[in-house]
Amino acid sequence: MPRPQSTTLDVETIHTLLSSGTRRAALEILRTVDRTTPQELSRQIASSAHNYETADAGPTTRRSISIALVHNHLPRLDAHDVVDYRHQDSVVTPGANFDDLESVLARLEHRD
């Protein structure tokens, strides 16, 4: 079934989507690449300071992040056309509404 035409995200949806540190971290990574995989996202998130204060970026942490990305965060972002997540190919690319969140992320980055 084809997706409906993309629309601009409302403020409440943007805030909801950015409420998760894991989603924010994934979006930050997608600001720098055109294409990635859930496994690469989990590796980068686990090895960064994004929302993970412990120094443990081992396989258990990466697997936990990967599971959360695949079953929660990426489908949620895909449902709002922020990312294009093709589960069967394990490919994640910015979606039609990515710029709506990217501009908010840029403002948050400058506030920190």
Side-chain angles (χ1 to χ4, degrees):
M1 173 157 55
R3 287 186 178 181
Q5 185 71 9
S6 296
T7 59
T8 302
L9 297 175
D10 61 58
V11 173
E12 184 176 339
T13 301
I14 290 170
H15 287 279
T16 299
L17 292 173
L18 293 177
S19 67
S20 164
T22 300
R23 280 195 296 271
R24 283 192 311 273
L27 293 169
E28 287 289 344
I29 293 164
L30 279 169
R31 289 175 73 194
T32 64
V33 298
D34 293 330
R35 178 185 173 119
T36 191
T37 65
Q39 294 74 25
E40 180 60 21
L41 283 173
S42 65
R43 186 191 65 73
Q44 288 186 36
I45 292 169
S47 65
S48 71
H50 293 290
N51 223 18
Y52 296 96
E53 278 98 31
T54 66
D56 175 28
T60 303
T61 301
R62 286 192 305 272
R63 181 164 168 70
S64 174
I65 295 167
S66 183
I67 289 169
L69 286 169
V70 168
H71 294 286
N72 179 8
H73 303 301
L74 293 176
R76 188 178 302 231
L77 292 168
D78 185 64
H80 292 283
D81 289 327
V82 174
V83 301
D84 180 21
Y85 172 50
R86 294 189 310 268
H87 180 73
Q88 64 278 11
D89 300 331
S90 288
V91 173
V92 182
T93 57
N97 290 332
F98 184 81
D99 290 342
D100 291 353
L101 279 128
E102 200 269 341
S103 63
V104 175
L105 285 169
R107 286 194 305 261
L108 290 173
E109 182 179 294
H110 285 48
R111 250 184 24 191
D112 291 343

